Amino acid sequence: HLQWRRLPELLTKIDTLVSELKDSTRGGGVRAVDSRSNAMCTCFPGSGAHYIRHCDNPNSNGRVLTCIYYLNTEWAPGDGGE
């Protein structure tokens, strides 16, 4: 899929966001964000398949931010996942 080729570009943008948040935490505004963990990717077959509601950080390991990027070209706001 062509959309997967854009993943490195997305990760660069997330790294920029992390860097900016890291800078902003020095002023005490945002909870400490100082690095990015490995990206996790999944593909659902369609027909209503989706993530079930869950906690991304049950072990309180320091992760404070989750980013979701939809690669399906036909997705539109209102389809869910906003």
Side-chain angles (χ1 to χ4, degrees):
H1 293 152
L2 283 175
Q3 295 89 338
W4 288 103
R5 292 184 187 164
R6 298 195 65 193
L7 190 57
E9 175 186 345
L10 173 66
L11 294 177
T12 297
K13 289 180 180 185
I14 292 172
D15 287 340
T16 299
L17 173 63
V18 167
S19 177
E20 291 175 2
L21 288 173
K22 183 177 179 179
D23 290 344
S24 74
T25 61
R26 293 190 181 112
V30 178
R31 186 171 168 198
V33 174
D34 62 9
S35 63
R36 174 178 63 81
S37 61
N38 293 331
M40 292 183 244
C41 300
T42 190
C43 181
F44 289 107
S47 301
H50 61 281
Y51 277 113
I52 58 169
R53 186 177 202 152
H54 65 282
C55 177
D56 276 347
N57 192 10
N59 301 319
S60 298
N61 65 2
R63 189 168 41 165
V64 296
L65 178 67
T66 298
C67 297
I68 300 173
Y69 182 63
Y70 292 94
L71 294 171
N72 46 327
T73 56
E74 64 281 350
W75 183 88
D79 288 344
E82 289 90 341

Coordinates of all heavy atoms in Angstrom, one line a residue:
H1 N 0.8 -1.2 0.0 CA 0.0 0.0 0.0 C 0.9 1.3 0.0 O 1.8 1.4 0.8 CB -0.9 0.0 1.2 CG -2.0 -1.1 1.1 ND1 -2.5 -1.6 2.3 CD2 -2.6 -1.7 0.1 CE1 -3.4 -2.5 2.0 NE2 -3.4 -2.6 0.7
L2 N 0.5 2.2 -0.8 CA 1.2 3.4 -0.9 C 1.2 4.2 0.4 O 2.2 4.9 0.7 CB 0.7 4.3 -2.0 CG 1.1 3.9 -3.4 CD1 0.3 4.8 -4.5 CD2 2.6 4.1 -3.6
Q3 N 0.1 4.1 1.2 CA 0.0 4.9 2.4 C 1.1 4.5 3.4 O 1.6 5.4 4.1 CB -1.4 4.6 3.1 CG -2.6 5.1 2.2 CD -3.1 4.1 1.3 OE1 -2.4 3.1 0.9 NE2 -4.3 4.2 0.9
W4 N 1.5 3.3 3.4 CA 2.6 2.8 4.3 C 3.9 3.5 4.0 O 4.7 3.7 4.9 CB 2.8 1.3 4.3 CG 1.6 0.6 5.0 CD1 0.6 0.0 4.3 CD2 1.4 0.5 6.4 NE1 -0.3 -0.6 5.3 CE2 0.2 -0.2 6.5 CE3 2.0 1.0 7.5 CZ2 -0.4 -0.5 7.8 CZ3 1.5 0.7 8.7 CH2 0.3 -0.1 8.9
R5 N 4.1 3.9 2.8 CA 5.3 4.6 2.4 C 5.5 6.0 3.1 O 6.6 6.5 3.3 CB 5.4 4.8 0.9 CG 5.6 3.5 0.2 CD 5.8 3.8 -1.3 NE 5.8 2.5 -2.0 CZ 5.6 2.4 -3.3 NH1 5.4 3.5 -4.0 NH2 5.6 1.2 -3.8
R6 N 4.4 6.5 3.6 CA 4.4 7.8 4.3 C 4.6 7.7 5.8 O 4.7 8.7 6.5 CB 3.0 8.5 4.0 CG 2.8 8.8 2.5 CD 1.8 9.8 2.3 NE 2.2 11.1 2.8 CZ 1.3 12.1 2.9 NH1 0.1 11.9 2.5 NH2 1.7 13.2 3.4
L7 N 4.7 6.5 6.3 CA 5.0 6.3 7.7 C 6.2 7.0 8.2 O 6.2 7.6 9.3 CB 5.0 4.8 8.0 CG 5.0 4.4 9.5 CD1 3.8 5.0 10.2 CD2 5.0 2.9 9.7
P8 N 7.4 6.9 7.5 CA 8.6 7.6 8.0 C 8.3 9.1 8.1 O 8.8 9.8 9.1 CB 9.6 7.3 6.9 CG 9.2 6.0 6.4 CD 7.7 6.1 6.3
E9 N 7.6 9.7 7.2 CA 7.2 11.1 7.3 C 6.4 11.4 8.5 O 6.6 12.4 9.2 CB 6.5 11.5 6.0 CG 6.0 13.0 6.0 CD 5.1 13.3 4.8 OE1 5.1 12.5 3.8 OE2 4.4 14.3 4.8
L10 N 5.4 10.5 8.8 CA 4.6 10.7 10.0 C 5.4 10.6 11.2 O 5.3 11.4 12.2 CB 3.5 9.6 10.0 CG 2.7 9.6 11.3 CD1 1.8 10.9 11.4 CD2 1.8 8.4 11.3
L11 N 6.3 9.6 11.3 CA 7.2 9.5 12.5 C 8.1 10.7 12.7 O 8.3 11.1 13.8 CB 8.0 8.2 12.4 CG 7.2 6.9 12.5 CD1 8.1 5.7 12.3 CD2 6.4 6.8 13.7
T12 N 8.5 11.3 11.6 CA 9.3 12.5 11.7 C 8.5 13.7 12.3 O 8.9 14.4 13.2 CB 9.9 13.0 10.4 OG1 10.7 12.0 9.9 CG2 10.6 14.3 10.4
K13 N 7.2 13.7 11.9 CA 6.3 14.8 12.5 C 6.0 14.5 14.0 O 6.0 15.4 14.8 CB 5.0 14.8 11.7 CG 5.2 15.4 10.3 CD 3.9 15.4 9.5 CE 4.2 16.1 8.1 NZ 2.9 16.2 7.4
I14 N 5.9 13.2 14.3 CA 5.7 12.9 15.7 C 6.9 13.2 16.5 O 6.8 13.8 17.6 CB 5.2 11.4 15.9 CG1 3.8 11.2 15.3 CG2 5.3 11.0 17.4 CD1 3.4 9.8 15.2
D15 N 8.1 13.0 16.0 CA 9.3 13.3 16.7 C 9.4 14.8 16.9 O 9.9 15.3 18.0 CB 10.6 12.8 15.9 CG 10.8 11.3 15.9 OD1 10.2 10.7 16.9 OD2 11.4 10.8 15.1
T16 N 9.0 15.6 15.9 CA 8.9 17.1 16.1 C 8.0 17.5 17.2 O 8.3 18.3 18.0 CB 8.5 17.7 14.7 OG1 9.5 17.4 13.7 CG2 8.5 19.2 14.9
L17 N 6.8 16.8 17.2 CA 5.8 17.1 18.3 C 6.4 16.8 19.6 O 6.3 17.6 20.6 CB 4.6 16.3 18.0 CG 3.5 16.4 19.1 CD1 3.0 17.8 19.3 CD2 2.4 15.4 18.9
V18 N 7.1 15.6 19.8 CA 7.7 15.2 21.0 C 8.7 16.3 21.4 O 8.8 16.7 22.6 CB 8.3 13.8 20.9 CG1 9.2 13.5 22.1 CG2 7.2 12.8 20.8
S19 N 9.5 16.7 20.5 CA 10.6 17.7 20.8 C 10.0 19.0 21.3 O 10.4 19.6 22.2 CB 11.4 18.0 19.5 OG 12.4 19.0 19.7
E20 N 8.9 19.4 20.6 CA 8.2 20.7 21.0 C 7.6 20.5 22.4 O 7.6 21.4 23.2 CB 7.2 21.1 20.0 CG 7.9 21.6 18.7 CD 6.9 21.9 17.6 OE1 5.7 21.8 17.8 OE2 7.4 22.3 16.5
L21 N 7.0 19.4 22.7 CA 6.4 19.1 24.0 C 7.4 19.1 25.0 O 7.2 19.6 26.1 CB 5.5 17.8 24.0 CG 4.2 17.9 23.2 CD1 3.6 16.5 23.1 CD2 3.3 18.9 23.8
K22 N 8.6 18.5 24.7 CA 9.7 18.4 25.7 C 10.1 19.8 26.0 O 10.3 20.1 27.2 CB 10.8 17.6 25.0 CG 12.0 17.4 26.0 CD 13.1 16.6 25.3 CE 14.3 16.4 26.1 NZ 15.3 15.5 25.5
D23 N 10.2 20.7 25.0 CA 10.6 22.1 25.3 C 9.6 22.8 26.2 O 9.9 23.6 27.0 CB 10.8 22.8 24.0 CG 12.1 22.4 23.3 OD1 13.0 21.7 23.9 OD2 12.2 22.7 22.1
S24 N 8.3 22.5 25.9 CA 7.2 23.2 26.7 C 7.1 22.7 28.1 O 6.6 23.4 29.0 CB 5.9 23.0 26.0 OG 5.4 21.7 26.1
T25 N 7.6 21.5 28.4 CA 7.5 20.9 29.7 C 8.4 21.6 30.7 O 8.3 21.6 31.9 CB 7.7 19.4 29.8 OG1 9.0 19.1 29.3 CG2 6.7 18.7 29.0
R26 N 9.5 22.3 30.1 CA 10.4 23.0 31.0 C 9.7 24.1 31.7 O 10.2 24.5 32.8 CB 11.6 23.5 30.2 CG 12.4 22.3 29.7 CD 13.7 22.7 29.0 NE 14.4 21.6 28.6 CZ 14.7 21.3 27.3 NH1 14.3 22.1 26.3 NH2 15.3 20.2 26.9
G27 N 8.6 24.6 31.1 CA 7.9 25.7 31.8 C 6.8 25.2 32.7 O 6.1 25.9 33.3
G28 N 6.7 23.8 32.8 CA 5.7 23.2 33.7 C 4.3 23.1 33.1 O 3.4 22.7 33.8
G29 N 4.2 23.4 31.8 CA 2.8 23.4 31.2 C 2.3 22.0 30.9 O 1.2 21.6 31.3
V30 N 3.0 21.1 30.3 CA 2.6 19.8 29.8 C 3.3 18.8 30.7 O 4.5 18.9 31.0 CB 2.9 19.6 28.3 CG1 2.5 18.3 27.9 CG2 2.2 20.7 27.5
R31 N 2.6 17.7 31.0 CA 3.3 16.6 31.7 C 4.5 16.1 30.9 O 4.5 16.1 29.7 CB 2.3 15.5 31.9 CG 2.8 14.4 32.8 CD 1.8 13.4 33.1 NE 2.4 12.2 33.7 CZ 1.8 11.0 33.8 NH1 0.6 10.9 33.3 NH2 2.5 10.0 34.3
A32 N 5.5 15.7 31.6 CA 6.8 15.4 30.9 C 6.6 14.4 29.8 O 6.2 13.3 29.9 CB 7.7 14.8 32.0
V33 N 7.0 14.9 28.6 CA 7.1 14.1 27.4 C 8.5 14.3 26.9 O 8.9 15.4 26.6 CB 6.1 14.6 26.3 CG1 6.4 13.9 25.0 CG2 4.7 14.5 26.7
D34 N 9.3 13.2 26.9 CA 10.7 13.4 26.5 C 11.2 12.5 25.5 O 12.4 12.6 25.1 CB 11.6 13.4 27.8 CG 11.5 12.0 28.5 OD1 11.0 11.1 27.9 OD2 12.1 12.0 29.6
S35 N 10.4 11.5 25.0 CA 10.9 10.6 24.0 C 9.7 9.9 23.3 O 8.6 10.0 23.8 CB 11.8 9.5 24.6 OG 11.1 8.7 25.6
R36 N 10.0 9.2 22.3 CA 9.0 8.4 21.5 C 9.3 6.9 21.6 O 10.5 6.6 21.4 CB 8.9 8.9 20.1 CG 8.0 8.0 19.2 CD 7.9 8.5 17.8 NE 9.1 8.4 17.0 CZ 9.6 7.3 16.4 NH1 8.9 6.2 16.6 NH2 10.6 7.4 15.7
S37 N 8.4 6.1 21.9 CA 8.6 4.7 21.8 C 8.5 4.2 20.4 O 8.2 5.0 19.5 CB 7.6 3.9 22.8 OG 6.3 4.2 22.3
N38 N 8.7 2.9 20.2 CA 8.5 2.3 18.9 C 7.1 2.4 18.4 O 6.2 2.3 19.2 CB 8.9 0.9 18.8 CG 10.4 0.7 19.1 OD1 11.2 1.5 18.8 ND2 10.8 -0.5 19.7
A39 N 6.9 2.7 17.1 CA 5.6 2.8 16.5 C 5.0 1.4 16.5 O 5.7 0.4 16.2 CB 5.6 3.4 15.1
M40 N 3.7 1.3 16.8 CA 2.9 0.0 16.6 C 1.9 0.2 15.5 O 1.2 1.2 15.5 CB 2.2 -0.3 17.9 CG 3.2 -0.7 19.1 SD 2.3 -1.1 20.5 CE 2.8 0.2 21.6
C41 N 1.9 -0.7 14.6 CA 1.0 -0.6 13.5 C 0.0 -1.8 13.4 O 0.5 -2.9 13.8 CB 1.7 -0.5 12.2 SG 2.8 0.9 12.1
T42 N -1.2 -1.6 12.9 CA -2.1 -2.7 12.8 C -2.9 -2.5 11.5 O -3.0 -1.3 11.1 CB -3.0 -2.9 14.0 OG1 -3.7 -4.1 13.9 CG2 -3.9 -1.8 14.2
C43 N -3.5 -3.5 11.0 CA -4.4 -3.4 9.9 C -5.6 -4.2 10.2 O -5.5 -5.4 10.5 CB -3.7 -4.0 8.6 SG -4.7 -3.9 7.1
F44 N -6.8 -3.6 10.0 CA -8.1 -4.3 10.2 C -8.7 -4.6 8.9 O -8.5 -3.9 7.9 CB -9.0 -3.5 11.1 CG -8.6 -3.4 12.5 CD1 -8.1 -2.2 13.0 CD2 -8.7 -4.4 13.3 CE1 -7.7 -2.1 14.3 CE2 -8.4 -4.4 14.7 CZ -7.9 -3.2 15.2
P45 N -9.4 -5.8 8.8 CA -9.9 -6.2 7.5 C -11.2 -5.5 7.0 O -11.6 -5.7 5.9 CB -10.3 -7.7 7.8 CG -10.6 -7.7 9.3 CD -9.7 -6.7 9.9
G46 N -11.7 -4.6 7.8 CA -12.9 -3.8 7.4 C -14.1 -4.5 8.0 O -14.0 -5.2 9.0
S47 N -15.3 -4.2 7.4 CA -16.6 -4.7 7.9 C -16.8 -4.4 9.4 O -17.3 -5.3 10.2 CB -16.6 -6.3 7.7 OG -16.5 -6.5 6.3
G48 N -16.4 -3.2 9.8 CA -16.6 -2.8 11.2 C -15.6 -3.3 12.2 O -15.7 -3.0 13.4
A49 N -14.5 -3.9 11.8 CA -13.4 -4.3 12.7 C -12.8 -3.1 13.3 O -12.7 -2.0 12.6 CB -12.4 -5.1 11.9
H50 N -12.4 -3.1 14.5 CA -11.9 -1.9 15.2 C -11.2 -2.3 16.5 O -11.4 -3.4 17.0 CB -13.0 -0.9 15.5 CG -14.0 -1.5 16.4 ND1 -15.0 -2.3 15.9 CD2 -14.3 -1.3 17.7 CE1 -15.8 -2.7 17.0 NE2 -15.4 -2.1 18.0
Y51 N -10.4 -1.4 17.1 CA -9.9 -1.6 18.4 C -11.0 -1.5 19.4 O -12.0 -0.8 19.3 CB -8.9 -0.4 18.8 CG -7.5 -0.5 18.3 CD1 -7.1 0.3 17.3 CD2 -6.7 -1.5 18.8 CE1 -5.8 0.3 16.9 CE2 -5.4 -1.6 18.3 CZ -4.9 -0.7 17.4 OH -3.6 -0.8 16.9
I52 N -10.9 -2.4 20.4 CA -11.9 -2.3 21.5 C -11.3 -1.2 22.5 O -10.1 -1.0 22.5 CB -12.1 -3.6 22.2 CG1 -10.8 -4.2 22.8 CG2 -12.8 -4.6 21.3 CD1 -11.0 -5.4 23.7
R53 N -12.2 -0.6 23.3 CA -11.8 0.4 24.2 C -10.8 -0.3 25.2 O -11.0 -1.4 25.7 CB -13.0 0.9 25.0 CG -12.7 2.0 25.9 CD -13.9 2.5 26.6 NE -13.6 3.9 27.0 CZ -14.5 4.8 27.1 NH1 -15.8 4.6 26.9 NH2 -14.2 6.0 27.5
H54 N -9.7 0.4 25.4 CA -8.6 -0.1 26.3 C -7.8 1.0 26.8 O -7.9 2.2 26.4 CB -7.7 -1.1 25.5 CG -7.0 -0.4 24.4 ND1 -7.6 -0.1 23.2 CD2 -5.7 0.0 24.3 CE1 -6.7 0.5 22.4 NE2 -5.5 0.6 23.1
C55 N -6.9 0.7 27.8 CA -6.0 1.6 28.4 C -4.6 1.4 27.7 O -4.1 0.2 27.7 CB -5.9 1.4 29.9 SG -4.7 2.5 30.7
D56 N -4.0 2.4 27.2 CA -2.7 2.3 26.5 C -1.5 2.1 27.5 O -0.5 1.8 27.1 CB -2.5 3.5 25.6 CG -3.1 3.3 24.2 OD1 -3.6 2.2 23.9 OD2 -3.2 4.3 23.5
N57 N -1.7 2.5 28.7 CA -0.6 2.5 29.6 C -1.0 1.9 31.0 O -1.0 2.6 32.0 CB -0.1 3.9 29.8 CG 1.3 3.9 30.5 OD1 1.9 2.9 30.7 ND2 1.7 5.1 30.8
P58 N -1.4 0.6 31.1 CA -1.9 0.1 32.4 C -0.8 0.0 33.4 O -1.1 -0.1 34.6 CB -2.5 -1.3 32.0 CG -1.7 -1.7 30.8 CD -1.5 -0.4 30.0
N59 N 0.5 -0.1 33.0 CA 1.6 -0.2 33.9 C 2.2 1.1 34.4 O 3.2 1.1 35.1 CB 2.7 -1.1 33.3 CG 2.1 -2.5 32.9 OD1 1.3 -3.1 33.7 ND2 2.4 -3.0 31.7
S60 N 1.6 2.2 33.9 CA 2.2 3.5 34.3 C 3.7 3.6 34.0 O 4.5 4.0 34.9 CB 1.9 3.8 35.7 OG 0.5 3.9 36.0
N61 N 4.1 3.2 32.8 CA 5.5 3.2 32.5 C 6.0 4.5 32.0 O 7.1 4.6 31.4 CB 5.8 2.1 31.4 CG 5.1 2.3 30.1 OD1 4.4 3.3 29.9 ND2 5.2 1.4 29.2
G62 N 5.3 5.5 32.1 CA 5.7 6.9 31.7 C 5.1 7.3 30.4 O 5.2 8.5 30.0
R63 N 4.5 6.4 29.6 CA 3.9 6.8 28.3 C 2.7 7.7 28.6 O 1.8 7.4 29.4 CB 3.5 5.6 27.6 CG 3.0 5.9 26.2 CD 2.9 4.7 25.3 NE 2.3 3.6 26.0 CZ 1.8 2.6 25.4 NH1 1.9 2.5 24.1 NH2 1.3 1.6 26.0
V64 N 2.6 8.9 28.0 CA 1.6 9.9 28.3 C 0.8 10.3 27.0 O -0.1 11.1 27.1 CB 2.1 11.1 29.0 CG1 2.6 10.7 30.4 CG2 3.2 11.8 28.2
L65 N 1.3 9.9 25.8 CA 0.7 10.4 24.6 C 0.5 9.2 23.6 O 1.4 8.5 23.4 CB 1.6 11.5 24.0 CG 1.1 12.1 22.7 CD1 -0.2 12.9 22.8 CD2 2.2 13.0 22.1
T66 N -0.7 9.1 23.0 CA -0.9 8.1 22.0 C -1.4 8.9 20.7 O -2.2 9.7 20.8 CB -2.0 7.1 22.4 OG1 -1.5 6.4 23.5 CG2 -2.3 6.1 21.3
C67 N -0.8 8.6 19.6 CA -1.2 9.2 18.3 C -1.8 8.1 17.4 O -1.2 7.0 17.3 CB 0.0 9.8 17.6 SG 0.7 11.2 18.5
I68 N -2.9 8.4 16.7 CA -3.5 7.4 15.8 C -3.5 8.1 14.4 O -3.9 9.2 14.3 CB -4.9 7.1 16.3 CG1 -4.9 6.4 17.6 CG2 -5.6 6.2 15.2 CD1 -6.3 6.2 18.2
Y69 N -3.1 7.3 13.4 CA -3.0 7.8 12.1 C -3.8 6.8 11.2 O -3.4 5.6 11.1 CB -1.6 7.9 11.6 CG -1.4 8.5 10.2 CD1 -1.8 9.7 9.9 CD2 -0.8 7.7 9.2 CE1 -1.7 10.2 8.6 CE2 -0.6 8.2 8.0 CZ -1.0 9.5 7.7 OH -0.9 10.0 6.4
Y70 N -4.8 7.2 10.5 CA -5.6 6.4 9.6 C -5.0 6.4 8.2 O -4.9 7.5 7.6 CB -7.1 6.8 9.6 CG -7.8 6.6 10.9 CD1 -7.8 7.6 11.9 CD2 -8.3 5.4 11.3 CE1 -8.5 7.4 13.1 CE2 -8.9 5.1 12.5 CZ -9.0 6.2 13.4 OH -9.6 5.9 14.6
L71 N -4.7 5.2 7.7 CA -4.1 5.1 6.4 C -5.1 4.9 5.3 O -4.8 5.0 4.1 CB -3.0 4.1 6.3 CG -1.8 4.3 7.2 CD1 -0.9 3.1 7.3 CD2 -1.0 5.5 6.7
N72 N -6.4 4.5 5.7 CA -7.4 4.2 4.6 C -7.8 5.5 4.0 O -8.3 6.5 4.6 CB -8.5 3.4 5.2 CG -9.1 3.9 6.5 OD1 -8.3 4.5 7.3 ND2 -10.3 3.8 6.7
T73 N -7.6 5.6 2.7 CA -7.9 6.8 1.9 C -9.3 7.3 2.0 O -9.6 8.5 1.8 CB -7.4 6.7 0.5 OG1 -8.1 5.6 -0.1 CG2 -5.9 6.5 0.4
E74 N -10.3 6.3 2.2 CA -11.7 6.7 2.1 C -12.2 7.1 3.5 O -13.4 7.5 3.6 CB -12.5 5.6 1.6 CG -12.5 4.3 2.4 CD -11.3 3.4 2.2 OE1 -10.5 3.7 1.3 OE2 -11.2 2.5 3.0
W75 N -11.4 7.1 4.6 CA -11.8 7.5 5.9 C -12.2 9.0 5.9 O -11.5 9.8 5.3 CB -10.7 7.2 6.9 CG -11.2 7.5 8.3 CD1 -11.9 6.7 9.2 CD2 -11.0 8.8 9.0 NE1 -12.1 7.4 10.4 CE2 -11.6 8.7 10.3 CE3 -10.5 10.0 8.7 CZ2 -11.7 9.7 11.2 CZ3 -10.5 11.0 9.6 CH2 -11.1 10.9 10.9
A76 N -13.2 9.3 6.6 CA -13.6 10.7 6.8 C -14.1 11.0 8.2 O -14.6 10.1 8.9 CB -14.7 11.1 5.8
P77 N -13.9 12.2 8.7 CA -14.4 12.5 10.0 C -15.9 12.1 10.1 O -16.7 12.3 9.1 CB -14.3 14.0 10.2 CG -13.1 14.3 9.3 CD -13.3 13.4 8.1
G78 N -16.3 11.5 11.2 CA -17.7 11.0 11.3 C -17.7 9.5 11.2 O -18.7 8.8 11.6
D79 N -16.6 8.9 10.6 CA -16.5 7.4 10.5 C -16.2 6.8 11.8 O -16.3 5.5 11.9 CB -15.5 7.0 9.4 CG -16.0 7.3 8.0 OD1 -17.2 7.6 7.8 OD2 -15.1 7.3 7.1
G80 N -15.7 7.5 12.7 CA -15.3 7.0 14.0 C -13.8 7.1 14.2 O -13.1 7.3 13.2
G81 N -13.4 7.1 15.5 CA -12.0 7.2 15.8 C -11.4 8.6 16.0 O -10.2 8.8 16.2
E82 N -12.3 9.6 15.9 CA -11.8 11.0 16.1 C -11.3 11.2 17.4 O -11.6 10.6 18.4 CB -13.0 12.0 15.9 CG -13.5 12.1 14.4 CD -14.6 11.2 14.1 OE1 -14.8 10.2 14.8 OE2 -15.2 11.4 13.1

